[in-house]
Amino acid sequence: MNGYAGKLLRVNLSNGKVSKEEIPDSMKRDYLGGRGFAIKLLWDEVRSVDPLSEKNKLIFSIGPLSGQLLPSAGKMVIASKSPLTGGYGDGNIGTMASVHLKKAGYDVVVVEGKSEKPCYLLIEDEHIKIEEALDLWGKDTFETQDLLEKKHGRNSGILITGPAGENQIRFSTVMSQKGRAGGRPGMGAVMGSKKLKALVIKGTGNVSNFDDAKLKELTKRGYDEIKKKESYEFWMKQGTMQAFEWCNENACLPTYNFREGVFEFSKEMDGYVLEKLHANRKGCPMCNMQCGHVIKDSSGQPAELDYENVGMLGPNIGLKSLPQVARLNRMADEWGLDTISLGSCIGFLMEASEKGLIPEKLKWGDFEAAQKLVVDIGKGEGLGKLVSRGVKGAAETLGKGSHRWAMHVKGLEVSAYNCHACPGMALSFGTSPIGGAHKDAWIIAWEIANDRFSYNKSKVEKLIEFQRLRGGFFESATVCRLPWVEVSFGLDWYPQFLEAVTGEKRGWEDFLKIGDRIYNLMRAFWKREVPQFGRQWDYPPERWFEEPHSQGKMKGMKVDRKKYEQMLDWYYELRGWDQNGIPQKETLENLGLKEVAKEIG
Ligand code: PTT
Ligand code: SF4
């Protein structure tokens, strides 16, 4: 089929075996690409394994739109059985590696086994080598990027695990280009467990698309339209950091380990402060709305900021200086630690100290202590050891009711939206297929604008609509969703892009069904890999039910448990799952997943 490179590259690090397989057209039609390919492969090939053992597989996967010249198309999905949650885990990274992978002739790389010595994978078109990486092991992601660029050229596509991943810290992420990060649920740790320091990808071929002239015309018009959008100018000034002041105004900024929704120092670190400190802009390939805002951190080094990073490493730990937050962000990038989980772990430890549950004295907003914690966490030493399995693991070790304010869902720390007064977003976190992530359904903006406090069925329907589009379509076509989300670039562009690329005329009904197939398979994977899996996995942290905000305009607000239960019932009903959240036989069969039904039935 046009638009795909067509091949899957399989590399076994235990025995050095390399093979190339055709991807069947039926898989392209049923799963589209990216996340779709990843869950299909994991379902078929990874069964009851320890995520950090050589039996787990790590998948790098792109879609028909990735790596094309189209707007914001330089994205890639990195997926595996997650060592943080035990279930399906993935992340989406913007990287030159996406472009090069397609040019090299592959849509998917499956890494299997485990190398004896540190290594990196070099993919140069059809030539595949497993290279020694003894000299890179232990180096941070910035040094590693420099060394690999020096050796293989600046334009290479490079994906790296940092020292935290080498140490198998379970929320280690994969880094690229000194600022792009992907794979929150421990994809960096899976790389580390395989002694795989990096992938270097260099492709020189061309993908055969169905209608090049049409594609060229759509591409040009698409980029022009994005630039003309009303919100484009402000987006270019603040990027995702525009959410900071919005969250504070709406009392959903994560503050003091998600206790409050407003931060008394927000004006000292919001998007307008970022504008003043702005030093550079970075981002993914093929993007004319690049969102990586670089400022100088408190030590004078460049650091790339995003809203999530600032929310979690700022208010969530009581830190009010943007350059200091940038310092922690840069350290996380160097170590290859996910900033969201990191901020949650530091907040958890600060609260544990305040409550006298640990002997160490850690004060909210203590920058020196936070810096030390990043290093300890990256190494898995001292207090870092306590949180090396995330806040869920830490609460299990610490006990004393700390699970109530361990801010995670399914073991993955929730991202930077406090949901005491946003029940729809709480359900979005609760039902996200990878755990506490906002990527699948960022319903909060719609909820606050339209229907903030209700717990009705139409809100649940809206949530599923978002999941289908964001978690289904964008993750499997594998392009950035931000043109649509942030500057209202129309959804009608995407079927046109896909038709020009593949030659197949398909509509939204079809794409949304693919999204449902992917969701049901991810759910089935959870059920198979986590035997006790069920309804109790779909709840937000206890804090949002139990402890109302004590200040701000949402003072006194918390999520109503009974009404949440009702929303969850509707969610299952609309998805065709039973009241324990398990896909019903008929639902799976309607999606062509008869064999799956047999296995989890
Ligand atoms: C994503 C998560 C996010 S989501 C952010 S900021 W965000 C954090 N960024 C981190 C970072 O930086 N350094 C670090 N060490 N850890 C980090 N962890 C956090 O990871 C990212 C953008 C953003 S910025 C968002 S919302 C959108 N996400 C998309 C998505 O998920 N799918 C898609 N099709 N398009 C998307 N576009 C946007 O991409 P994860 P990136 Mg990311 C420094 O990885 O695991 O998905 O977690 O990839 O290239 O950095 O772009 O306000
Ligand atoms: Fe990457 Fe940001 Fe552009 Fe999306 S908007 S492609 S995340 S730079």
Short mmCIF file of all heavy atoms in Angstrom, two decimals, residues 432-470:
data_model
loop_
_atom_site.label_atom_id
_atom_site.label_comp_id
_atom_site.label_asym_id
_atom_site.label_seq_id
_atom_site.Cartn_x
_atom_site.Cartn_y
_atom_site.Cartn_z
N SER A 432 -7.66 6.45 30.88
CA SER A 432 -6.57 6.50 29.89
C SER A 432 -5.92 5.12 29.77
O SER A 432 -5.68 4.45 30.77
CB SER A 432 -5.53 7.54 30.33
OG SER A 432 -4.27 7.19 29.79
N PRO A 433 -5.63 4.69 28.55
CA PRO A 433 -5.13 3.31 28.38
C PRO A 433 -3.68 3.10 28.82
O PRO A 433 -3.22 1.96 28.84
CB PRO A 433 -5.26 3.08 26.87
CG PRO A 433 -5.21 4.43 26.27
CD PRO A 433 -5.84 5.36 27.26
N ILE A 434 -2.97 4.19 29.17
CA ILE A 434 -1.60 3.98 29.67
C ILE A 434 -1.46 4.38 31.14
O ILE A 434 -0.39 4.27 31.71
CB ILE A 434 -0.54 4.73 28.82
CG1 ILE A 434 -0.76 6.24 28.83
CG2 ILE A 434 -0.50 4.18 27.40
CD1 ILE A 434 0.41 7.04 28.29
N GLY A 435 -2.53 4.85 31.76
CA GLY A 435 -2.44 5.35 33.14
C GLY A 435 -2.64 6.86 33.13
O GLY A 435 -3.21 7.40 32.18
N GLY A 436 -2.15 7.55 34.15
CA GLY A 436 -2.48 8.96 34.37
C GLY A 436 -1.92 9.94 33.34
O GLY A 436 -1.14 10.81 33.69
N ALA A 437 -2.36 9.81 32.11
CA ALA A 437 -1.87 10.72 31.06
C ALA A 437 -3.03 11.50 30.46
O ALA A 437 -4.15 10.99 30.39
CB ALA A 437 -1.19 9.91 29.96
N HIS A 438 -2.73 12.73 30.01
CA HIS A 438 -3.78 13.57 29.42
C HIS A 438 -3.86 13.38 27.92
O HIS A 438 -4.73 13.93 27.27
CB HIS A 438 -3.48 15.04 29.72
CG HIS A 438 -2.19 15.52 29.12
ND1 HIS A 438 -0.97 15.13 29.61
CD2 HIS A 438 -1.93 16.30 28.04
CE1 HIS A 438 -0.02 15.69 28.88
NE2 HIS A 438 -0.57 16.38 27.92
N LYS A 439 -2.92 12.60 27.35
CA LYS A 439 -2.81 12.60 25.90
C LYS A 439 -4.05 12.05 25.19
O LYS A 439 -4.42 12.52 24.14
CB LYS A 439 -1.55 11.84 25.46
CG LYS A 439 -1.59 10.37 25.77
CD LYS A 439 -0.25 9.70 25.50
CE LYS A 439 0.07 9.68 24.04
NZ LYS A 439 1.50 9.52 23.81
N ASP A 440 -4.71 11.08 25.79
CA ASP A 440 -5.83 10.45 25.10
C ASP A 440 -7.09 11.30 25.10
O ASP A 440 -7.87 11.23 24.15
CB ASP A 440 -6.12 9.06 25.70
CG ASP A 440 -5.15 8.05 25.16
OD1 ASP A 440 -3.99 8.03 25.62
OD2 ASP A 440 -5.51 7.30 24.23
N ALA A 441 -7.31 12.03 26.15
CA ALA A 441 -8.53 12.84 26.19
C ALA A 441 -8.32 14.05 27.08
O ALA A 441 -8.54 14.00 28.28
CB ALA A 441 -9.71 12.02 26.68
N TRP A 442 -7.89 15.14 26.46
CA TRP A 442 -7.72 16.40 27.19
C TRP A 442 -9.07 17.11 27.14
O TRP A 442 -9.23 18.12 26.50
CB TRP A 442 -6.62 17.20 26.49
CG TRP A 442 -6.10 18.37 27.23
CD1 TRP A 442 -5.42 18.38 28.41
CD2 TRP A 442 -6.17 19.75 26.81
NE1 TRP A 442 -5.06 19.66 28.75
CE2 TRP A 442 -5.51 20.52 27.79
CE3 TRP A 442 -6.72 20.40 25.71
CZ2 TRP A 442 -5.38 21.91 27.70
CZ3 TRP A 442 -6.59 21.78 25.62
CH2 TRP A 442 -5.93 22.52 26.60
N ILE A 443 -10.02 16.54 27.89
CA ILE A 443 -11.39 17.08 27.83
C ILE A 443 -11.52 18.33 28.69
O ILE A 443 -12.51 19.05 28.62
CB ILE A 443 -12.42 15.99 28.28
CG1 ILE A 443 -13.83 16.37 27.85
CG2 ILE A 443 -12.31 15.68 29.75
CD1 ILE A 443 -14.90 15.37 28.21
N ILE A 444 -10.51 18.62 29.48
CA ILE A 444 -10.61 19.69 30.48
C ILE A 444 -10.96 21.04 29.86
O ILE A 444 -11.77 21.79 30.42
CB ILE A 444 -9.32 19.75 31.35
CG1 ILE A 444 -9.53 20.64 32.56
CG2 ILE A 444 -8.10 20.15 30.56
CD1 ILE A 444 -8.45 20.48 33.65
N ALA A 445 -10.38 21.38 28.70
CA ALA A 445 -10.65 22.69 28.10
C ALA A 445 -12.12 22.76 27.68
O ALA A 445 -12.80 23.76 27.93
CB ALA A 445 -9.73 22.92 26.91
N TRP A 446 -12.59 21.70 27.06
CA TRP A 446 -14.00 21.65 26.64
C TRP A 446 -14.90 21.69 27.87
O TRP A 446 -15.91 22.41 27.92
CB TRP A 446 -14.25 20.35 25.84
CG TRP A 446 -15.68 20.19 25.42
CD1 TRP A 446 -16.24 20.64 24.26
CD2 TRP A 446 -16.73 19.56 26.18
NE1 TRP A 446 -17.58 20.33 24.24
CE2 TRP A 446 -17.91 19.67 25.41
CE3 TRP A 446 -16.79 18.94 27.43
CZ2 TRP A 446 -19.13 19.16 25.83
CZ3 TRP A 446 -18.01 18.44 27.87
CH2 TRP A 446 -19.16 18.55 27.08
N GLU A 447 -14.52 20.95 28.90
CA GLU A 447 -15.34 20.84 30.11
C GLU A 447 -15.50 22.19 30.80
O GLU A 447 -16.61 22.61 31.15
CB GLU A 447 -14.65 19.83 31.05
CG GLU A 447 -15.39 19.57 32.34
CD GLU A 447 -14.77 18.41 33.12
OE1 GLU A 447 -13.53 18.28 33.15
OE2 GLU A 447 -15.54 17.63 33.71
N ILE A 448 -14.37 22.89 30.95
CA ILE A 448 -14.43 24.18 31.65
C ILE A 448 -15.21 25.19 30.82
O ILE A 448 -15.97 26.00 31.35
CB ILE A 448 -13.00 24.65 32.00
CG1 ILE A 448 -12.45 23.77 33.14
CG2 ILE A 448 -12.98 26.13 32.40
CD1 ILE A 448 -11.04 24.06 33.58
N ALA A 449 -15.04 25.14 29.50
CA ALA A 449 -15.75 26.10 28.64
C ALA A 449 -17.25 25.81 28.55
O ALA A 449 -18.05 26.73 28.39
CB ALA A 449 -15.14 26.09 27.25
N ASN A 450 -17.64 24.55 28.67
CA ASN A 450 -19.03 24.19 28.36
C ASN A 450 -19.88 23.71 29.52
O ASN A 450 -21.06 24.05 29.60
CB ASN A 450 -19.05 23.08 27.30
CG ASN A 450 -18.53 23.58 25.98
OD1 ASN A 450 -19.18 24.37 25.31
ND2 ASN A 450 -17.33 23.16 25.62
N ASP A 451 -19.30 22.88 30.39
CA ASP A 451 -20.18 22.14 31.28
C ASP A 451 -19.36 21.61 32.47
O ASP A 451 -19.25 20.41 32.65
CB ASP A 451 -20.75 20.97 30.45
CG ASP A 451 -21.84 20.21 31.17
OD1 ASP A 451 -22.33 20.73 32.18
OD2 ASP A 451 -22.18 19.10 30.71
N ARG A 452 -18.79 22.53 33.24
CA ARG A 452 -17.74 22.12 34.17
C ARG A 452 -18.17 21.13 35.24
O ARG A 452 -17.47 20.18 35.54
CB ARG A 452 -17.12 23.36 34.83
CG ARG A 452 -16.02 23.00 35.80
CD ARG A 452 -15.05 24.10 36.05
NE ARG A 452 -13.93 23.60 36.82
CZ ARG A 452 -12.87 24.31 37.13
NH1 ARG A 452 -12.76 25.55 36.72
NH2 ARG A 452 -11.89 23.79 37.85
N PHE A 453 -19.30 21.40 35.87
CA PHE A 453 -19.57 20.66 37.11
C PHE A 453 -20.49 19.45 36.95
O PHE A 453 -20.72 18.73 37.90
CB PHE A 453 -20.15 21.61 38.16
CG PHE A 453 -19.24 22.78 38.42
CD1 PHE A 453 -19.57 24.05 37.99
CD2 PHE A 453 -18.01 22.58 39.04
CE1 PHE A 453 -18.69 25.12 38.21
CE2 PHE A 453 -17.14 23.64 39.26
CZ PHE A 453 -17.48 24.91 38.83
N SER A 454 -21.00 19.25 35.75
CA SER A 454 -21.96 18.15 35.62
C SER A 454 -21.27 16.80 35.45
O SER A 454 -20.10 16.72 35.06
CB SER A 454 -22.89 18.41 34.44
OG SER A 454 -22.18 18.16 33.26
N TYR A 455 -22.05 15.76 35.76
CA TYR A 455 -21.55 14.38 35.63
C TYR A 455 -22.50 13.64 34.70
O TYR A 455 -23.00 12.58 35.03
CB TYR A 455 -21.56 13.68 37.00
CG TYR A 455 -20.59 14.21 38.04
CD1 TYR A 455 -20.77 15.43 38.65
CD2 TYR A 455 -19.49 13.44 38.42
CE1 TYR A 455 -19.88 15.89 39.62
CE2 TYR A 455 -18.60 13.88 39.40
CZ TYR A 455 -18.81 15.11 39.98
OH TYR A 455 -17.93 15.55 40.94
N ASN A 456 -22.80 14.23 33.55
CA ASN A 456 -23.83 13.60 32.73
C ASN A 456 -23.26 12.70 31.63
O ASN A 456 -22.06 12.69 31.37
CB ASN A 456 -24.78 14.66 32.14
CG ASN A 456 -24.00 15.70 31.37
OD1 ASN A 456 -23.01 15.37 30.73
ND2 ASN A 456 -24.42 16.95 31.45
N LYS A 457 -24.19 11.99 31.01
CA LYS A 457 -23.79 11.00 30.01
C LYS A 457 -23.18 11.65 28.77
O LYS A 457 -22.26 11.11 28.15
CB LYS A 457 -25.01 10.14 29.62
CG LYS A 457 -24.62 8.87 28.89
CD LYS A 457 -25.82 7.94 28.75
CE LYS A 457 -25.45 6.64 28.09
NZ LYS A 457 -26.56 5.71 28.00
N SER A 458 -23.67 12.86 28.43
CA SER A 458 -23.13 13.49 27.21
C SER A 458 -21.66 13.86 27.40
O SER A 458 -20.88 13.85 26.45
CB SER A 458 -23.97 14.70 26.80
OG SER A 458 -24.00 15.61 27.85
N LYS A 459 -21.28 14.11 28.64
CA LYS A 459 -19.85 14.40 28.90
C LYS A 459 -19.01 13.13 28.66
O LYS A 459 -17.92 13.18 28.10
CB LYS A 459 -19.68 14.90 30.34
CG LYS A 459 -18.32 15.47 30.61
CD LYS A 459 -18.18 15.99 32.03
CE LYS A 459 -18.54 17.44 32.15
NZ LYS A 459 -18.15 18.05 33.43
N VAL A 460 -19.58 12.01 29.05
CA VAL A 460 -18.87 10.74 28.85
C VAL A 460 -18.75 10.46 27.34
O VAL A 460 -17.72 10.00 26.85
CB VAL A 460 -19.57 9.58 29.58
CG1 VAL A 460 -18.81 8.28 29.40
CG2 VAL A 460 -19.71 9.90 31.07
N GLU A 461 -19.83 10.78 26.62
CA GLU A 461 -19.78 10.60 25.15
C GLU A 461 -18.68 11.48 24.54
O GLU A 461 -17.94 11.05 23.66
CB GLU A 461 -21.14 10.94 24.53
CG GLU A 461 -22.16 9.83 24.73
CD GLU A 461 -23.60 10.26 24.48
OE1 GLU A 461 -23.85 11.48 24.32
OE2 GLU A 461 -24.47 9.39 24.48
N LYS A 462 -18.61 12.70 25.03
CA LYS A 462 -17.58 13.63 24.52
C LYS A 462 -16.18 13.07 24.81
O LYS A 462 -15.28 13.13 23.97
CB LYS A 462 -17.76 14.99 25.22
CG LYS A 462 -16.96 16.10 24.61
CD LYS A 462 -17.66 16.60 23.36
CE LYS A 462 -16.77 17.42 22.49
NZ LYS A 462 -17.31 17.64 21.15
N LEU A 463 -16.03 12.54 26.00
CA LEU A 463 -14.74 11.97 26.39
C LEU A 463 -14.32 10.85 25.42
O LEU A 463 -13.18 10.80 24.95
CB LEU A 463 -14.83 11.46 27.83
CG LEU A 463 -13.73 10.56 28.38
CD1 LEU A 463 -12.39 11.23 28.29
CD2 LEU A 463 -14.01 10.20 29.82
N ILE A 464 -15.27 9.98 25.12
CA ILE A 464 -14.96 8.87 24.19
C ILE A 464 -14.64 9.41 22.80
O ILE A 464 -13.73 8.92 22.12
CB ILE A 464 -16.10 7.83 24.19
CG1 ILE A 464 -16.16 7.15 25.56
CG2 ILE A 464 -15.91 6.79 23.08
CD1 ILE A 464 -17.27 6.15 25.75
N GLU A 465 -15.36 10.46 22.41
CA GLU A 465 -15.05 11.08 21.10
C GLU A 465 -13.60 11.56 21.07
O GLU A 465 -12.86 11.32 20.11
CB GLU A 465 -16.02 12.25 20.90
CG GLU A 465 -15.90 12.97 19.58
CD GLU A 465 -16.78 14.23 19.58
OE1 GLU A 465 -17.93 14.19 20.10
OE2 GLU A 465 -16.31 15.27 19.07
N PHE A 466 -13.16 12.21 22.15
CA PHE A 466 -11.76 12.66 22.23
C PHE A 466 -10.79 11.48 22.20
O PHE A 466 -9.77 11.52 21.52
CB PHE A 466 -11.52 13.47 23.51
CG PHE A 466 -11.92 14.92 23.39
CD1 PHE A 466 -12.80 15.47 24.31
CD2 PHE A 466 -11.41 15.72 22.39
CE1 PHE A 466 -13.18 16.81 24.22
CE2 PHE A 466 -11.78 17.07 22.30
CZ PHE A 466 -12.67 17.61 23.20
N GLN A 467 -11.13 10.44 22.95
CA GLN A 467 -10.22 9.28 22.97
C GLN A 467 -10.07 8.67 21.59
O GLN A 467 -8.98 8.29 21.17
CB GLN A 467 -10.72 8.22 23.96
CG GLN A 467 -10.57 8.63 25.42
CD GLN A 467 -11.02 7.54 26.38
OE1 GLN A 467 -11.86 6.70 26.05
NE2 GLN A 467 -10.48 7.57 27.59
N ARG A 468 -11.20 8.60 20.87
CA ARG A 468 -11.14 8.02 19.53
C ARG A 468 -10.25 8.84 18.61
O ARG A 468 -9.46 8.29 17.84
CB ARG A 468 -12.55 7.96 18.92
CG ARG A 468 -13.38 6.87 19.55
CD ARG A 468 -14.75 6.78 18.88
NE ARG A 468 -15.43 5.58 19.33
CZ ARG A 468 -16.70 5.53 19.72
NH1 ARG A 468 -17.45 6.63 19.72
NH2 ARG A 468 -17.23 4.41 20.11
N LEU A 469 -10.39 10.16 18.72
CA LEU A 469 -9.62 11.03 17.82
C LEU A 469 -8.15 11.10 18.24
O LEU A 469 -7.25 10.90 17.44
CB LEU A 469 -10.20 12.44 17.84
CG LEU A 469 -11.48 12.64 17.03
CD1 LEU A 469 -12.11 13.98 17.36
CD2 LEU A 469 -11.16 12.58 15.53
N ARG A 470 -7.95 11.42 19.50
CA ARG A 470 -6.57 11.67 19.96
C ARG A 470 -5.80 10.37 20.14
O ARG A 470 -4.72 10.18 19.57
CB ARG A 470 -6.60 12.46 21.28
CG ARG A 470 -7.17 13.85 21.16
CD ARG A 470 -7.45 14.44 22.53
NE ARG A 470 -6.26 14.55 23.33
CZ ARG A 470 -5.67 15.68 23.69
NH1 ARG A 470 -6.17 16.83 23.29
NH2 ARG A 470 -4.60 15.69 24.45
#
